[in-house]
Amino acid sequence: MASVRQLQLSPSSVVVIVALWIVGGTLENSCQDLESIEPCDVDAVLDVEFGRCGVRVTPAAASAAPRITYSKAADDKKYLLVMVDPDAPSARNPKMRYWRHWVMSDISGSSLKSGHLDGVTLTEYNGPSPPRGSGPHRYHLFLFEQPGELRSSSGLGNGNRGKWQLRDFVRDNQLCHSLVASYEFISENQLE
């Protein structure tokens, strides 16, 4: 590998290269790297009423859709919100990954700022329902800036929610470079 000296880069060139590397490693590569994103380790974390990113929430406490705000939302933009469980039916055997818990499109920036989401519900909110004995489940919320009308929203009803092809949905709707914020909470069925 060539060193900075061998390439004869100016200090400003190095800054640009480092900046591109940092951006490339966060939310910009969301289509290719969506599955490897740690929702709490990104530049922009959603403000969700459950508390800090990564908090544990009982299924009962998350049975209703949470209030979500995003202070950086632009009033003239539309957004798409997705909530999935990557650990269905368990983290040891996630054969039903990504269980689709909630999808809303056409959310106005102003409603994101206020926490009163006014978008179009494509999949009704379904709170956490991890199977008994399956251990902790992570629930990921991803907020995308919506570039226009969705190209593909078929199959997003309230029927079969398991094994949803999240990456395909993101790619088909040209959302690959539109992830603006995320959040994660953890829930577990403690009943024996």
Side-chain angles (χ1 to χ4, degrees):
M1 178 181 239
S3 71
V4 171
R5 171 175 255 147
Q6 291 169 325
L7 293 174
Q8 298 180 352
L9 297 174
S10 70
S12 62
S13 298
V14 172
V15 169
V16 169
I17 290 169
V18 170
L20 288 172
W21 176 75
I22 291 170
V23 168
T26 59
L27 297 177
E28 286 297 311
N29 290 328
S30 60
C31 216
Q32 299 82 357
D33 299 332
L34 193 60
E35 294 168 9
S36 64
I37 289 175
E38 291 295 329
C40 297
D41 294 335
V42 296
D43 296 336
V45 175
L46 290 168
D47 184 10
V48 178
E49 73 175 296
F50 298 145
R52 65 173 172 69
C53 195
V55 69
R56 286 186 172 263
V57 180
T58 66
S63 63
R67 182 176 174 157
I68 296 172
T69 58
Y70 179 58
S71 62
K72 297 179 183 178
D75 290 339
D76 63 334
K77 303 284 185 185
K78 295 284 186 183
Y79 296 87
L80 178 117
L81 178 69
V82 170
M83 179 177 142
V84 293
D85 174 357
D87 299 325
S90 72
R92 288 184 311 269
N93 183 22
K95 63 185 177 187
M96 297 302 282
R97 169 181 287 158
Y98 285 95
W99 192 273
R100 189 178 67 252
H101 280 267
W102 193 17
V103 180
M104 281 186 77
S105 68
D106 299 300
I107 303 168
S108 70
S110 59
S111 77
L112 270 169
K113 287 180 181 178
S114 72
H116 301 286
L117 304 185
D118 66 355
V120 175
T121 300
L122 301 173
T123 302
E124 293 287 334
Y125 180 82
N126 182 310
S129 54
R132 197 173 336 170
S134 65
H137 284 236
R138 298 166 296 152
Y139 292 85
H140 293 172
L141 287 100
F142 295 114
L143 182 69
F144 297 91
E145 185 178 303
Q146 193 174 316
E149 293 296 316
L150 292 182
R151 293 174 174 227
S152 171
S153 61
S154 62
L156 290 179
N158 299 316
N160 186 11
R161 295 173 182 245
K163 294 178 88 173
W164 185 44
Q165 300 301 311
L166 176 59
R167 183 186 299 184
D168 292 347
F169 175 79
V170 168
R171 185 193 62 238
D172 293 349
N173 286 292
Q174 299 180 331
L175 300 167
C176 290
H177 301 287
S178 300
L179 183 61
V180 294
S182 59
Y183 180 85
E184 174 183 270
F185 68 95
I186 297 165
S187 193
E188 182 175 4
N189 186 338
Q190 296 286 347
L191 300 176
E192 292 301 324

